[in-house]
Amino acid sequence: MSTASSLTSWPWRMLSFLVWYAKAFVLANVYVTLDVLRPKKRMKMAPAIIAVPAASRSDTEWTLISCLITLTPGTLTLSISREHQILYVHGMFVDSRESLVGEIQEMEDRMLRALRRSPGDLRRPIQVPDVEPVEEPPGGELGDF
Amino acid sequence: MELYDLMHGAGLLFIFLGIVTIIVAGIGLFRLPDLYLRASAVGTSAGLGVASIVIGALLMDFSGLNLIKAAVAVIAQLLTSAVGSMAIARSGYLNNSMPAEITHTDDLLKTRRDLDADSHGEPSR
C-alpha cells in the first residue's frame, strides 16, 4: 500500500491541506462577518441542516472532520451517524443541498489525503439512506413511527 | 531596531484584528436568529479572535519559549471553541430548540424519535 511515492508526497499533502484550510477559514470568517454586519433586509442567510455522506473511517478522522467543520465559521457539525456514515452539518449559507455537500466533501477529501499515508478508499454512500428513528432506548415509549 | 518596530506594528495589528473579530461576534449574538447560527458564527469567531490576540502578543514579545506557549494556546483555544460549539448546538437540538424559520432544510428532523410519533410540532417532554 505505502509505496515510496505516496510516502514522499505525504508531507506535501499535509502542508497543502493546512494552507488550503487556512485560506478557507479566513474566507469563511470574512463572509460571516460581512453578513452579520449587513442590514437585516439584505442578509443573505439561508441556513439548513444537511446530511452529508462521509468517507471517514477511524475515530481520529471522524473527530477531526467534525472539529474542522465546526471550526469554519458558518458551518457546524450537529451530529454524526457512524453506521450510516453521515455528518449532520448546519450551514449558514446553503443555496442548495449539493453546494454544501460538495464543500464539506472537498474538505474531507483533502483532510483524508493529508491524514492517511496513502489515500485509500474515499468511497461514500452514494445515496443518503433514510435514517429512521430507532427504538433502542430502554423505556422509550414512542417506538412506532 | 527596524525589525523590532515591524514586529511591534504587526503585533498591534493582530491584536486589533482580534478585538474587531470579538466585537463582531458579540454583535452577531444579537443579530442572528437562532441557537445554531449563533453557535456556528460566534463560537468560532470568538475562538479566532482570542487566537489572533495571542499571536499579536507573541509578535510584540517574541522569544522561543513564548512561541511554544502561543502555539499551544492557539491550538487549545481553537479546539476547545470547536468542541464547545458542537456541544452547545447538540444539546440545544436534543432539548427541542428548533432552528429558526428561515432554515429551509432539516435532515436531522427525520431522525427524531419523539417528533415523529406525534407529527404536530410540539414535542412531548
Side-chain angles (χ1 to χ4, degrees), chain B residues 79-100:
Chain B
L79 264 183
T80 47
S81 77
V83 173
S85 323
M86 275 193 276
I88 291 173
R90 181 71 185 138
S91 59
Y93 206 92
L94 291 176
N95 279 299
N96 303 319
S97 162
M98 284 295 133

mmCIF file of all heavy atoms in Angstrom, chain B residues 79-100:
data_model
loop_
_atom_site.group_PDB
_atom_site.id
_atom_site.type_symbol
_atom_site.label_atom_id
_atom_site.label_comp_id
_atom_site.label_asym_id
_atom_site.label_seq_id
_atom_site.Cartn_x
_atom_site.Cartn_y
_atom_site.Cartn_z
ATOM 1 N N LEU B 79 -9.401 24.337 19.318
ATOM 2 C CA LEU B 79 -10.036 23.028 19.540
ATOM 3 C C LEU B 79 -11.186 23.128 20.521
ATOM 4 O O LEU B 79 -12.282 22.616 20.278
ATOM 5 C CB LEU B 79 -9.008 22.036 20.085
ATOM 6 C CG LEU B 79 -8.347 21.125 19.072
ATOM 7 C CD1 LEU B 79 -7.432 20.166 19.785
ATOM 8 C CD2 LEU B 79 -9.410 20.361 18.312
ATOM 9 N N THR B 80 -10.940 23.814 21.646
ATOM 10 C CA THR B 80 -11.993 23.862 22.655
ATOM 11 C C THR B 80 -13.179 24.679 22.172
ATOM 12 O O THR B 80 -14.319 24.346 22.485
ATOM 13 C CB THR B 80 -11.477 24.444 23.974
ATOM 14 O OG1 THR B 80 -10.745 25.627 23.687
ATOM 15 C CG2 THR B 80 -10.590 23.462 24.690
ATOM 16 N N SER B 81 -12.910 25.738 21.396
ATOM 17 C CA SER B 81 -14.071 26.520 20.945
ATOM 18 C C SER B 81 -14.905 25.693 19.973
ATOM 19 O O SER B 81 -16.137 25.767 19.978
ATOM 20 C CB SER B 81 -13.643 27.850 20.340
ATOM 21 O OG SER B 81 -13.149 27.674 19.046
ATOM 22 N N ALA B 82 -14.226 24.851 19.144
ATOM 23 C CA ALA B 82 -14.978 23.998 18.226
ATOM 24 C C ALA B 82 -15.799 22.972 18.999
ATOM 25 O O ALA B 82 -17.010 22.807 18.759
ATOM 26 C CB ALA B 82 -14.030 23.299 17.265
ATOM 27 N N VAL B 83 -15.150 22.296 19.941
ATOM 28 C CA VAL B 83 -15.862 21.267 20.694
ATOM 29 C C VAL B 83 -16.998 21.888 21.508
ATOM 30 O O VAL B 83 -18.100 21.336 21.597
ATOM 31 C CB VAL B 83 -14.882 20.493 21.597
ATOM 32 C CG1 VAL B 83 -15.616 19.537 22.502
ATOM 33 C CG2 VAL B 83 -13.887 19.739 20.752
ATOM 34 N N GLY B 84 -16.721 23.086 22.059
ATOM 35 C CA GLY B 84 -17.752 23.756 22.841
ATOM 36 C C GLY B 84 -18.967 24.100 21.993
ATOM 37 O O GLY B 84 -20.113 23.848 22.407
ATOM 38 N N SER B 85 -18.735 24.651 20.799
ATOM 39 C CA SER B 85 -19.885 24.994 19.944
ATOM 40 C C SER B 85 -20.682 23.757 19.592
ATOM 41 O O SER B 85 -21.917 23.778 19.575
ATOM 42 C CB SER B 85 -19.449 25.654 18.651
ATOM 43 O OG SER B 85 -18.378 26.488 18.841
ATOM 44 N N MET B 86 -19.955 22.653 19.304
ATOM 45 C CA MET B 86 -20.675 21.426 18.946
ATOM 46 C C MET B 86 -21.524 20.942 20.108
ATOM 47 O O MET B 86 -22.679 20.551 19.928
ATOM 48 C CB MET B 86 -19.677 20.338 18.553
ATOM 49 C CG MET B 86 -19.254 20.407 17.127
ATOM 50 S SD MET B 86 -18.401 18.911 16.656
ATOM 51 C CE MET B 86 -16.763 19.267 17.213
ATOM 52 N N ALA B 87 -20.938 20.994 21.313
ATOM 53 C CA ALA B 87 -21.671 20.510 22.479
ATOM 54 C C ALA B 87 -22.915 21.359 22.714
ATOM 55 O O ALA B 87 -24.007 20.835 22.969
ATOM 56 C CB ALA B 87 -20.768 20.526 23.712
ATOM 57 N N ILE B 88 -22.761 22.678 22.566
ATOM 58 C CA ILE B 88 -23.904 23.568 22.786
ATOM 59 C C ILE B 88 -24.996 23.296 21.758
ATOM 60 O O ILE B 88 -26.175 23.141 22.086
ATOM 61 C CB ILE B 88 -23.456 25.038 22.720
ATOM 62 C CG1 ILE B 88 -22.584 25.367 23.924
ATOM 63 C CG2 ILE B 88 -24.651 25.962 22.683
ATOM 64 C CD1 ILE B 88 -21.965 26.727 23.856
ATOM 65 N N ALA B 89 -24.576 23.206 20.480
ATOM 66 C CA ALA B 89 -25.572 23.013 19.426
ATOM 67 C C ALA B 89 -26.277 21.670 19.582
ATOM 68 O O ALA B 89 -27.495 21.565 19.441
ATOM 69 C CB ALA B 89 -24.900 23.096 18.064
ATOM 70 N N ARG B 90 -25.495 20.653 19.890
ATOM 71 C CA ARG B 90 -26.081 19.313 20.023
ATOM 72 C C ARG B 90 -27.072 19.268 21.180
ATOM 73 O O ARG B 90 -28.186 18.748 21.046
ATOM 74 C CB ARG B 90 -24.954 18.306 20.245
ATOM 75 C CG ARG B 90 -25.419 16.871 20.382
ATOM 76 C CD ARG B 90 -25.885 16.363 19.060
ATOM 77 N NE ARG B 90 -26.456 15.029 19.171
ATOM 78 C CZ ARG B 90 -27.553 14.653 18.543
ATOM 79 N NH1 ARG B 90 -28.205 15.498 17.797
ATOM 80 N NH2 ARG B 90 -27.999 13.428 18.659
ATOM 81 N N SER B 91 -26.671 19.838 22.310
ATOM 82 C CA SER B 91 -27.583 19.789 23.454
ATOM 83 C C SER B 91 -28.804 20.649 23.181
ATOM 84 O O SER B 91 -29.914 20.315 23.610
ATOM 85 C CB SER B 91 -26.876 20.223 24.726
ATOM 86 O OG SER B 91 -26.387 21.517 24.576
ATOM 87 N N GLY B 92 -28.612 21.741 22.438
ATOM 88 C CA GLY B 92 -29.766 22.546 22.060
ATOM 89 C C GLY B 92 -30.739 21.754 21.222
ATOM 90 O O GLY B 92 -31.959 21.799 21.426
ATOM 91 N N TYR B 93 -30.191 20.982 20.275
ATOM 92 C CA TYR B 93 -31.087 20.206 19.426
ATOM 93 C C TYR B 93 -31.813 19.141 20.223
ATOM 94 O O TYR B 93 -33.001 18.898 20.037
ATOM 95 C CB TYR B 93 -30.305 19.560 18.271
ATOM 96 C CG TYR B 93 -31.179 19.316 17.082
ATOM 97 C CD1 TYR B 93 -31.279 20.264 16.080
ATOM 98 C CD2 TYR B 93 -31.957 18.173 16.995
ATOM 99 C CE1 TYR B 93 -32.112 20.079 15.009
ATOM 100 C CE2 TYR B 93 -32.790 17.980 15.922
ATOM 101 C CZ TYR B 93 -32.863 18.933 14.935
ATOM 102 O OH TYR B 93 -33.712 18.758 13.889
ATOM 103 N N LEU B 94 -31.074 18.504 21.127
ATOM 104 C CA LEU B 94 -31.704 17.454 21.937
ATOM 105 C C LEU B 94 -32.749 18.026 22.873
ATOM 106 O O LEU B 94 -33.643 17.318 23.319
ATOM 107 C CB LEU B 94 -30.644 16.704 22.735
ATOM 108 C CG LEU B 94 -29.707 15.836 21.894
ATOM 109 C CD1 LEU B 94 -28.638 15.226 22.772
ATOM 110 C CD2 LEU B 94 -30.480 14.765 21.179
ATOM 111 N N ASN B 95 -32.620 19.312 23.186
ATOM 112 C CA ASN B 95 -33.586 19.937 24.088
ATOM 113 C C ASN B 95 -34.666 20.687 23.337
ATOM 114 O O ASN B 95 -35.256 21.623 23.857
ATOM 115 C CB ASN B 95 -32.872 20.860 25.061
ATOM 116 C CG ASN B 95 -32.276 20.089 26.203
ATOM 117 O OD1 ASN B 95 -32.995 19.428 26.950
ATOM 118 N ND2 ASN B 95 -30.968 20.137 26.324
ATOM 119 N N ASN B 96 -34.885 20.295 22.078
ATOM 120 C CA ASN B 96 -36.004 20.801 21.297
ATOM 121 C C ASN B 96 -35.948 22.288 21.005
ATOM 122 O O ASN B 96 -36.976 22.925 20.884
ATOM 123 C CB ASN B 96 -37.341 20.506 21.985
ATOM 124 C CG ASN B 96 -37.503 19.036 22.240
ATOM 125 O OD1 ASN B 96 -37.165 18.228 21.391
ATOM 126 N ND2 ASN B 96 -37.989 18.690 23.410
ATOM 127 N N SER B 97 -34.745 22.829 20.898
ATOM 128 C CA SER B 97 -34.653 24.198 20.421
ATOM 129 C C SER B 97 -34.668 24.143 18.899
ATOM 130 O O SER B 97 -33.705 23.738 18.264
ATOM 131 C CB SER B 97 -33.351 24.817 20.925
ATOM 132 O OG SER B 97 -33.043 25.950 20.183
ATOM 133 N N MET B 98 -35.799 24.521 18.325
ATOM 134 C CA MET B 98 -35.967 24.363 16.876
ATOM 135 C C MET B 98 -35.184 25.434 16.110
ATOM 136 O O MET B 98 -35.079 26.557 16.577
ATOM 137 C CB MET B 98 -37.447 24.466 16.515
ATOM 138 C CG MET B 98 -38.219 23.227 16.861
ATOM 139 S SD MET B 98 -37.637 21.873 15.855
ATOM 140 C CE MET B 98 -37.451 20.588 17.071
ATOM 141 N N PRO B 99 -34.662 25.076 14.953
ATOM 142 C CA PRO B 99 -33.986 26.085 14.128
ATOM 143 C C PRO B 99 -34.976 27.180 13.703
ATOM 144 O O PRO B 99 -36.182 26.957 13.666
ATOM 145 C CB PRO B 99 -33.522 25.292 12.905
ATOM 146 C CG PRO B 99 -33.593 23.880 13.284
ATOM 147 C CD PRO B 99 -34.624 23.759 14.342
ATOM 148 N N ALA B 100 -34.427 28.354 13.373
ATOM 149 C CA ALA B 100 -35.282 29.482 13.003
ATOM 150 C C ALA B 100 -36.066 29.174 11.733
ATOM 151 O O ALA B 100 -35.748 28.262 10.985
ATOM 152 C CB ALA B 100 -34.419 30.725 12.786
#
